[in-house]
């Protein structure tokens, strides 16, 4: 029965979809906003990117975290989201502390609990007051948020009204100042600003009982309070003390002085450029108003930036919005337009109404600590004080509302396991546990009280969030994924990229070391999420980018075969499964991981015999089993299972079709069929030989591990021992390269490489050893070299084409003795000539194509049969001409003679070796010799604990050139 939903029911569910979390009953009512034609804007870059992402589908709870994680993946989303959560939480503490400072300094100074008459201890007492009152304010705000978002919204309306009234009061005061500026005197000595905190009158003298006496200011600049015999500061003597209007008003033209920047270093006296002053220096007096910090454009940007971090406030509460796709873009862009107008207009009004010396006076020393903006506003300074207080309270409340919802969204995605508990909520959807953690972190910030050192990192967290919002939008736009269909049309990848670049630049311009600290924190969270294995398939842009990059790389690989310098074994590991679909020889995967060390391509393949339609479930189960084993053995690669009617056909399909484009395997790894002699079923070893034939036909390298169960695991490490290489025929350099690759792994790292080569009696063994050592030196491989001499009759199986291979090997060694010029000329010639030779090894019957078979003899040759026939043989055949006249029985005798002799030499030299690498013979073309071929290999490797038979793919895999 078809259980798929009907179209009508599907459309009904989509139409009634809500992005609220289950149980959430309180959310904002959607405002009816008439949508007209919008004009694109080149400002508000992050808001534009966020609007595009927010309108590209439903945005549940989580806001910016949800947008980044679904666009860039769980690792980026979790790292940036958690940093943004911490920034929002500490920002709540900063807003609360700001509200407390206004409360204690301007509203109710008498409410201070801790006081001190000592000026040095006054600041410490103030911090203690802020800790106590800050904690109380935090508890009240948390209770409001705990009750529900409905009450937060009611308070938000009240706070917003106070802020609007405050802003209007500033505009009204600025207009009023054009015809009736407020009385706001500032005392000046020449063009230098004086502090009014310790002087009683802005004059050098004062009248008392009709007598002129020195003022308190006189005492600060002269060494005596008497007019006569007093030594005064030179600048004080030559300049007059005057009083100027601190707020001259809109019509004063003071904006001409304040229009251009004038950054000062720390400790510089604040001066009025247009005031008269004698050209004398004088001494630096503490009664001057000094610059408290070296100013610059980047510093001012860093100070201003926290005022615009509220653009994510709406998106953080996306789960409480009825239509987040509609509310987030409109609300955010209108908020930015409004606040940008307010900020910029206030900057212009302040510059047009207030003297520059007052604007530079950070602590109000020249105006007795009075609030300059409050003095400018109309009708009363209290409007600004109350508005500022409620503004900071509202910002803190919004942060305490948005931060828990952000944490809840991260916890519900289960990408950070230990945060899972914070995903729970009350019946009405309020994130209770997340709110408690947020309150605890905010309390920590309040107890710190002075967040001057923490604030820059918070700005970095916000900037990092904006950066990744822009990156997400740019990436989705450039990839042109089919699902990228935002309703908000006024975006472009260039705008997003510009916003991303500006965010990154601001991070390092503001504070490069805090930027690095923030990136390190985010990076640690990223790696933790990656380590925990957050396997979430959200169709993110990073996955799309990976697919695009993979496609590009694969197309590049198609341009030609890899250069010899870049050749590395790309493995196809053939595994055999038992009846329970378990891997019979897991150590084959262990060996593959040791050989690859995480580099290059590894494909693990296996075959299930049967019908695909009937065995599909078994294939999936077997694939999962192999993947788990690959994970346990730390094999980074892919699994490929084939269901075929016959095992040999399935293996052939794997060898032919695995990989994609230029990313294909070039080496097949398989195990030796142990116990093939005792097996009554010959299919096992016949499948083995068939696989060897298919691999050879495909021009792939082949590695056959014998006694694979004795190979070391990844936890075993050899403290000493040898890896012995028996270089009998040249195979393109595989025998040289493999031990080098194995030694990169910790298991084989402490083993030494020994290379044995076979010389005939007429060869110069001493020279061969020197040549081979020189060859290894140029290959940059450290190995011990040994030449083993054998009689021609003992290696008679190496005639004809094998002799050509030995000639190639000798030619390469001889090549090392040429001069550099000759070597450069000969190198390519040798390579071209030898690359035409098809690698044929011990035991091949290819040379027997010229033999005339007068009778068909099928005989299984064992070591015992060989010893029995040895006494009947008159002498060994030598040379190619004798080989042409040999009968099949003589050929088998010759092969067994070679196998036994070689085995004796190998066992004598390498019986204690940790691993022995041997050239692997090619299979006979005549299938009737398959069993003899198996017996030959068995005899050749008898008595060796771990053997790796190696057969090259016919191409050079190692070079002496850089």
């Amino acid at each position: 029965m078809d259980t798929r939903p009907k179209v009508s029911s599907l459309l009904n569910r989509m139409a009634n979809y809500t992005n609220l979390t289950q149980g959430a009953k309180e959310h904002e009512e959607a405002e009816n906003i008439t949508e007209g034609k919008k004009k694109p804007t080149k400002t508000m870059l992050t808001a534009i990117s966020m609007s595009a992402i927010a309108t590209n589908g439903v945005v549940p709870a989580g806001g910016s975290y949800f947008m980044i994680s679904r666009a860039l993946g769980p690792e980026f989303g979790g790292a940036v989201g958690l940093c943004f959560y911490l920034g929002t939480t500490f920002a709540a503490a900063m807003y609360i502390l700001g509200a407390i400072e206004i409360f204690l300094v301007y509203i109710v100074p008498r409410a201070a609990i801790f006081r001190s008459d000592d000026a040095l201890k006054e600041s410490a007492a103030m911090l203690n007051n802020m800790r106590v009152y800050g904690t109380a304010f935090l508890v009240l705000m948390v209770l409001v948020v705990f009750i529900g978002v409905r009450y937060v919204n009611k308070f938000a309306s009240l706070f917003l009204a106070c802020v609007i009234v405050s802003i209007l009061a500033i505009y009204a005061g600025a207009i009023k100042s054009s015809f009736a500026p407020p009385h706001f005197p500032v005392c000046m000595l020449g063009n230098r600003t004086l502090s009014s905190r310790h002087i009683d009158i802005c004059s050098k003298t004062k009248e008392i009982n009709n007598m002129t006496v020195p003022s308190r200011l006189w005492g600060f600049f002269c060494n005596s309070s008497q007019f006569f015999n007093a030594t005064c500061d030179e600048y004080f003597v030559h300049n007059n003390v005057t009083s100027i209007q601190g707020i001259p008003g809109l019509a004063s033209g003071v904006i001409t002085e304040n229009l251009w920047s004038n950054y000062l270093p720390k400790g510089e006296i604040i001066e009025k450029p247009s005031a008269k002053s004698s050209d004398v220096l004088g001494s630096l007096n503490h009664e001057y108003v000094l610059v408290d910090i070296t100013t610059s454009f980047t510093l001012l940007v860093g100070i201003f930036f926290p005022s615009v971090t509220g653009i994510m406030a709406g998106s953080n509460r996306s789960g409480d919005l009825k239509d987040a796709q509609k509310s987030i873009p409109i609300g955010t862009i209108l908020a930015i337009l409004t606040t940008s107008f307010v900020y910029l207009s206030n900057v212009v009004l302040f510059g047009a109404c207030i003297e520059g010396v007052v604007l530079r006076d950070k602590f109000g020393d020249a105006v007795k600590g009075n609030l300059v903006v409050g003095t400018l506003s109309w009708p009363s300074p209290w409007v600004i004080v109350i508005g500022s207080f409620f503004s900071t309270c509202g910002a803190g409340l919004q942060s305490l509302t948005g931060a828990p919802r952000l944490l809840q969204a991260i916890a519900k995605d289960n990408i950070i396991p230990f945060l899972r508990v914070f995903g729970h909520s009350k019946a009405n959807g309020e994130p209770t546990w997340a709110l408690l953690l947020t309150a605890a972190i905010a309390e920590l910030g309040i107890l710190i009280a002075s967040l001057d050192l923490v604030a820059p990192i918070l700005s970095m967290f916000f900037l990092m969030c904006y950066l990744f919002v822009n990156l997400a939008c740019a990436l989705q736009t450039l990839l042109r994924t089919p699902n990228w269909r935002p309703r908000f049309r006024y975006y472009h990848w260039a705008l997003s990229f510009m916003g991303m670049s500006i965010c990154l630049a601001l991070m390092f311009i503001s504070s490069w070391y805090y930027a690095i600290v923030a990136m390190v924190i985010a990076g640690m969270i990223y790696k933790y999420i990656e380590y925990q294995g957050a396997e979430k398939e959200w169709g993110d842009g990073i996955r799309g980018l990976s697919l695009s990059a993979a496609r590009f790389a694969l197309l590049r690989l198609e341009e030609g075969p890899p250069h010899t310098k870049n050749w590395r074994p790309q493995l196809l590991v053939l595994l055999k499964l038992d009846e329970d679909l378990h891997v019979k020889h897991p150590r084959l995967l262990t060996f593959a991981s040791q050989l690859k060390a995480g580099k290059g391509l590894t494909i693990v393949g296996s075959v299930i015999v049967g019908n695909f339609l009937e065995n599909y479930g078994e294939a999936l189960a077997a694939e999962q089993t192999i993947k788990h084993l690959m994970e346990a053995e730390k094999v980074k690669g892919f699994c490929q299972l084939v269901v075929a009617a016959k095992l040999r056909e399935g293996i052939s399909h794997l060898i032919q079709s695995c990989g994609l484009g230029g990313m294909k395997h070039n080496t097949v790894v398989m195990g030796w069929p142990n116990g093939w002699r005792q097996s009554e079923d010959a299919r096992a070893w016949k499948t083995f030989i068939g696989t060897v034939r298919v691999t050879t036909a495909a021009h792939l390298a082949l590695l056959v591990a014998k006694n694979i169960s004795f190979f070391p695991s990844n936890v075993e490490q050899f403290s000493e021992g040898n890896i012995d290489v028996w270089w009998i025929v040249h195979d393109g350099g595989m025998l040289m390269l493999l031990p080098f690759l194995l030694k990169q792994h910790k298991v084989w790292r402490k083993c030494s490489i020994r290379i044995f080569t076979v010389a005939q009696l007429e060869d110069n063994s001493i020279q061969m050893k020197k040549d081979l050592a020189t060859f290894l030196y140029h290959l940059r491989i450290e190995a011990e070299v040994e030449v083993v001499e054998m009689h021609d009759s003992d290696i008679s199986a190496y005639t004809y084409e094998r002799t050509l291979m030995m000639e190639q090997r000798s030619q390469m060694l001889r090549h090392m003795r040429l001069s550099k010029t000759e070597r450069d000329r000969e190198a390519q010639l040798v390579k071209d000539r030898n690359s035409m030779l098809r690698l044929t090894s011990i035991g091949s019957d290819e040379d027997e194509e010229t033999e005339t078979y007068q009778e068909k003899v099928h005989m299984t040759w064992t070591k015992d049969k060989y010893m029995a026939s040895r006494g009947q043989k008159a002498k060994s055949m030598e040379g190619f001409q004798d080989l042409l006249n040999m009968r099949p029985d003589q050929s088998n005798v010759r092969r067994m003679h070679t196998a036994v002799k070689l085995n004796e030499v190998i066992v004598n030299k390498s019986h204690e070796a940790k691993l022995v690498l041997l050239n692997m013979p090619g299979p006979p073309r005549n299938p009737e010799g398959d069993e003899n071929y198996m017996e030959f290999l068995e005899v050749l490797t008898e008595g060796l604990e771990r053997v790796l038979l190696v057969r090259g793919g016919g191409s050079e895999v190692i070079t002496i050139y850089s």
Side-chain angles (χ1 to χ4, degrees):
M1 179 178 180
D2 194 348
T3 59
R4 290 177 293 180
K6 295 181 179 180
V7 174
S8 57
S9 61
L10 176 64
L11 293 176
N12 182 61
R13 285 202 298 271
M14 293 300 295
N16 296 318
Y17 177 81
T18 174
N19 57 1
L20 301 180
T21 55
Q22 186 176 2
K25 299 178 180 178
E26 305 173 21
H27 56 80
E28 296 180 348
E29 295 295 326
E31 298 180 3
N32 295 323
I33 301 177
T34 304
E35 295 191 20
K37 290 186 177 180
K38 305 185 184 72
K39 295 183 179 180
T41 175
K42 294 184 178 179
T43 62
M44 308 170 298
L45 301 177
T46 301
I48 290 174
S49 299
M50 185 174 67
S51 300
I53 300 175
T55 58
N56 188 54
V58 177
V59 181
S64 55
Y65 158 73
F66 180 87
M67 298 177 194
I68 295 173
S69 62
R70 268 52 177 185
L72 299 179
E75 294 86 1
F76 280 109
V80 178
L82 202 56
C83 288
F84 187 66
Y85 163 75
L86 293 174
T88 306
T89 304
F90 274 104
M94 292 181 63
Y95 294 136
I96 292 173
L97 290 174
I100 298 303
E101 185 174 1
I102 295 172
F103 178 76
L104 292 177
V105 175
Y106 297 107
I107 300 178
V108 191
R110 299 177 183 177
I113 300 173
F114 302 95
R115 300 176 184 274
S116 178
D117 296 331
D118 189 347
L120 297 177
K121 297 181 180 179
E122 185 180 354
S123 60
M126 185 62 179
L127 291 179
N128 288 330
N129 287 320
M130 294 177 71
R131 291 185 180 104
V132 174
Y133 281 100
T135 301
F137 269 58
L138 176 63
V139 171
L140 289 175
M141 289 185 179
V142 169
L143 288 176
V144 173
V145 177
F146 181 80
I147 293 173
V149 72
R150 177 186 302 170
Y151 299 95
V152 175
N153 293 338
K154 290 181 179 180
F155 278 107
S157 301
L158 173 64
F159 297 155
L160 179 61
C162 294
V163 172
I164 292 175
V165 171
S166 300
I167 294 172
L168 293 177
I170 294 175
Y171 290 131
I175 295 173
K176 178 178 176 291
S177 70
S178 62
F179 55 86
H183 178 66
F184 202 62
V186 176
C187 190
M188 306 289 295
L189 176 60
N191 66 348
R192 298 180 179 179
T193 309
L194 293 173
S195 173
S196 62
R197 294 185 181 274
H198 303 108
I199 61 177
D200 53 349
I201 185 173
C202 185
S203 174
K204 293 182 180 181
T205 61
K206 60 182 179 180
E207 296 288 334
I208 298 179
N209 299 327
N210 295 325
M211 293 180 63
T212 302
V213 297
S215 66
R216 185 179 297 179
L217 182 62
W218 177 282
F220 291 135
F221 287 91
C222 300
N223 63 355
S224 173
S225 60
Q226 303 297 324
F227 286 119
F228 303 101
N229 301 324
T231 303
C232 298
D233 179 78
E234 186 179 8
Y235 189 86
F236 181 78
V237 172
H238 290 85
N239 288 278
N240 296 325
V241 176
T242 58
S243 179
I244 65 171
Q245 185 71 319
I247 304 180
L250 199 60
S252 64
V254 72
I255 192 172
T256 57
E257 291 185 10
N258 297 333
L259 187 61
W260 308 110
S261 61
N262 183 21
Y263 303 115
L264 299 176
K266 181 180 179 180
E268 188 82 5
I269 300 174
I270 297 178
E271 299 177 345
K272 178 177 171 61
S274 61
K276 294 182 179 180
S277 175
S278 299
D279 191 17
V280 291
L281 184 61
S283 61
L284 187 64
N285 194 291
H286 66 277
E287 290 305 311
Y288 290 128
V289 179
L290 307 178
V291 177
D292 69 308
I293 188 173
T294 301
T295 55
S296 63
F297 174 77
T298 57
L299 176 71
L300 297 180
V301 168
I303 294 173
F304 173 76
F305 178 74
S307 64
V308 296
T309 56
I311 67 170
M312 294 290 185
S315 66
N316 287 347
R317 296 170 56 186
S318 57
D320 300 313
L321 302 177
K322 186 174 182 179
D323 189 354
Q325 296 185 60
K326 181 178 180 182
S327 301
I328 289 177
I330 295 176
T332 303
I333 292 177
L334 288 179
I336 290 178
L337 287 174
T338 304
T339 54
S340 297
F341 172 77
V342 171
Y343 291 149
L344 294 175
S345 60
N346 273 270
V347 169
V348 173
L349 287 177
F350 291 163
C353 297
I354 304 173
E355 279 285 355
V357 293
V358 177
L359 293 174
R360 290 180 181 277
D361 185 8
K362 178 179 177 181
F363 300 104
D365 292 330
V367 293
K368 296 183 179 180
N370 289 320
L371 192 63
V372 178
V373 180
T375 305
L376 174 65
S377 64
W378 183 85
S380 170
W382 283 101
V383 177
I384 299 300
V385 172
I386 298 300
S388 300
F389 175 76
F390 282 121
S391 174
T392 51
C393 288
L397 204 58
Q398 293 294 337
S399 297
L400 289 175
T401 303
R405 283 159 172 75
L406 184 59
L407 179 62
Q408 184 186 40
I410 298 173
K412 281 189 173 182
D413 279 341
N414 197 26
I415 60 175
I416 303 178
F418 65 84
L419 293 180
R420 193 176 304 154
V421 66
F422 300 107
H424 302 303
S425 58
K426 294 193 301 182
N428 64 349
E430 291 298 323
T432 308
W433 291 105
L435 177 61
L436 292 177
L437 179 62
T438 302
I441 297 175
E443 174 63 17
L444 178 63
I446 290 173
L447 293 178
I448 295 174
S450 179
L451 293 179
D452 290 342
L453 296 178
V454 182
I457 281 217
L458 307 187
S459 296
M460 297 304 160
F461 287 160
F462 285 117
L463 276 170
M464 194 181 300
C465 180
Y466 303 161
L467 185 153
F468 279 95
V469 168
N470 283 293
L471 175 61
C473 181
L475 186 63
Q476 297 279 38
T477 306
L478 290 174
L479 289 177
R480 299 179 181 177
T481 54
N483 192 55
W484 180 245
R485 303 185 300 274
R487 289 193 177 92
F488 184 83
R489 300 294 182 185
Y490 307 108
Y491 68 93
H492 192 272
W493 68 266
L495 293 178
S496 300
F497 187 79
M498 187 186 305
M500 180 182 67
S501 303
I502 292 174
C503 289
L504 185 62
L506 281 177
M507 289 179 68
F508 283 92
I509 288 173
S510 301
S511 177
W512 64 268
Y513 42 89
Y514 277 116
I516 292 176
V517 170
M519 289 181 174
V520 168
I521 294 174
M524 292 171 64
I525 299 173
Y526 178 97
K527 295 305 293 185
Y528 174 79
I529 297 174
E530 187 180 55
Y531 175 77
Q532 288 295 326
E535 298 178 359
K536 303 289 184 181
E537 180 48 63
W538 289 332
D540 54 85
I542 295 296
R543 187 173 181 84
L545 182 63
S546 300
L547 290 173
S548 297
R551 172 183 170 274
F552 175 78
L554 287 172
L555 290 175
R556 287 289 303 272
L557 288 175
E558 280 286 283
E559 294 178 2
H563 191 273
T564 304
K565 292 188 293 185
N566 297 326
W567 195 96
R568 66 169 62 246
Q570 315 289 7
L571 303 182
L572 170 60
V573 184
L574 298 179
L575 295 181
K576 190 175 183 181
L577 305 176
D578 58 19
E579 295 178 354
D580 298 326
L581 301 180
H582 293 151
V583 177
K584 280 190 174 182
H585 301 296
R587 285 292 171 87
L588 207 57
L589 275 182
T590 308
F591 173 72
S593 70
Q594 295 168 3
L595 182 62
K596 297 295 292 181
K599 303 294 191 300
L601 174 70
T602 302
I603 303 175
V604 181
S606 188
V607 178
I608 293 180
V609 178
N611 182 277
F612 178 75
L613 297 178
E614 298 174 357
N615 299 97
Y616 178 70
E618 293 182 10
L620 290 180
E623 185 175 353
Q624 290 302 315
T625 301
I626 293 177
K627 284 183 177 180
H628 290 152
L629 183 60
M630 291 172 65
E631 184 177 350
E633 296 295 340
K634 299 181 180 179
V635 175
K636 298 182 183 298
F638 309 96
C639 178
Q640 182 72 52
L641 246 77
V642 170
V643 180
K646 294 182 180 181
L647 181 61
R648 294 177 65 176
E649 291 180 359
I651 294 176
S652 177
H653 292 160
L654 282 174
I655 293 175
Q656 293 179 63
S657 60
C658 276
L660 180 64
M663 199 63 174
K664 293 180 68 68
H665 57 278
N666 55 30
T667 304
V668 176
V669 180
M670 60 189 300
W672 174 262
N674 295 320
W676 67 274
R677 287 170 170 170
Q678 293 78 25
S679 176
E680 296 181 358
D681 188 358
R683 286 180 297 178
W685 60 267
K686 287 188 176 181
T687 300
F688 170 81
I689 296 180
T691 304
V692 175
R693 286 195 172 98
V694 173
T695 305
T696 303
H699 298 288
L700 301 176
L702 177 64
L703 306 180
V704 177
K706 190 178 180 187
N707 302 329
I708 186 63
S709 58
F710 294 115
F711 277 57
S713 65
N714 283 327
V715 296
E716 299 178 44
Q717 294 186 31
F718 292 127
S719 58
E720 58 181 359
N722 298 314
I723 300 176
D724 286 358
V725 177
W726 285 84
W727 189 34
I728 301 172
V729 295
H730 181 62
D731 57 355
M734 282 284 289
L735 283 172
M736 305 294 185
L737 185 61
L738 291 175
F740 170 79
L741 295 176
L742 281 175
K743 275 177 62 66
Q744 308 307 305
H745 196 273
K746 62 182 180 179
V747 172
W748 305 92
R749 189 165 295 149
K750 295 184 179 180
C751 292
S752 301
I753 302 176
R754 297 193 303 180
I755 297 182
F756 297 89
T757 186
V758 177
Q760 297 178 349
L761 294 180
E762 63 270 18
D763 291 331
N764 187 338
S765 301
I766 298 177
Q767 188 61 48
M768 281 186 66
K769 185 173 182 178
K770 290 181 180 179
D771 293 346
L772 181 55
T774 304
F775 182 48
L776 293 175
Y777 172 80
H778 286 288
L779 289 176
R780 290 89 64 199
I781 294 178
E782 295 182 3
E784 180 184 342
V785 176
E786 186 171 341
V787 178
V788 178
E789 293 185 351
M790 296 186 68
H791 195 275
D792 289 355
S793 61
D794 293 337
I795 54 170
S796 57
Y798 290 92
T799 56
Y800 191 38
E801 294 187 25
R802 271 80 62 189
T803 303
L804 292 179
M805 294 299 155
M806 293 183 72
E807 273 189 19
Q808 180 181 350
R809 182 195 64 186
S810 300
Q811 194 171 12
M812 290 180 65
L813 297 179
R814 189 168 59 253
H815 178 61
M816 295 298 101
R817 300 198 298 273
L818 297 176
S819 66
K820 183 180 185 302
T821 305
E822 293 172 326
R823 184 163 62 243
D824 292 340
R825 186 175 63 251
E826 292 287 334
Q828 188 62 40
L829 178 62
V830 173
K831 185 177 185 299
D832 293 343
R833 183 166 64 248
N834 293 329
S835 63
M836 299 302 295
L837 296 173
R838 189 172 67 240
L839 176 61
T840 312
S841 300
I842 319 168
S844 173
D845 276 355
E846 293 179 13
D847 55 327
E848 295 180 6
E849 290 180 1
T850 57
E851 295 184 18
T852 303
Y853 289 93
Q854 307 230 343
E855 55 182 7
K856 298 289 184 181
V857 179
H858 178 67
M859 181 181 294
T860 301
W861 279 89
T862 65
K863 188 174 181 180
D864 295 335
K865 291 180 179 179
Y866 159 72
M867 297 302 294
S869 65
R870 188 180 180 186
Q872 301 174 2
K873 184 177 179 182
K875 65 176 183 178
S876 299
M877 299 294 181
E878 297 180 7
F880 177 59
Q881 187 60 38
D882 293 336
L883 181 63
L884 294 178
N885 300 323
M886 288 168 55
R887 292 288 185 265
D889 57 342
Q890 294 173 325
S891 177
N892 290 330
V893 169
R894 181 202 62 186
R895 290 196 186 95
M896 292 308 300
H897 175 82
T898 300
V900 171
K901 284 297 183 180
L902 266 179
N903 178 258
E904 289 176 357
V905 174
I906 293 172
V907 171
N908 180 49
K909 298 284 187 180
S910 304
H911 64 281
E912 293 183 352
K914 301 302 181 184
L915 179 64
V916 177
L917 283 77
L918 283 169
N919 287 113
M920 182 177 180
R925 293 198 176 189
N926 184 0
E928 294 184 0
D930 285 355
E931 195 168 357
N932 292 331
Y933 172 72
M934 293 294 293
E935 187 64 38
F936 174 86
L937 292 178
E938 193 72 66
V939 171
L940 183 64
T941 56
E942 190 175 11
L944 299 174
E945 185 178 15
R946 302 182 192 92
V947 180
L948 185 65
L949 296 172
V950 181
R951 181 168 175 79
S955 61
E956 293 292 328
V957 301
I958 196 168
T959 179
I960 64 173
Y961 299 106
S962 61

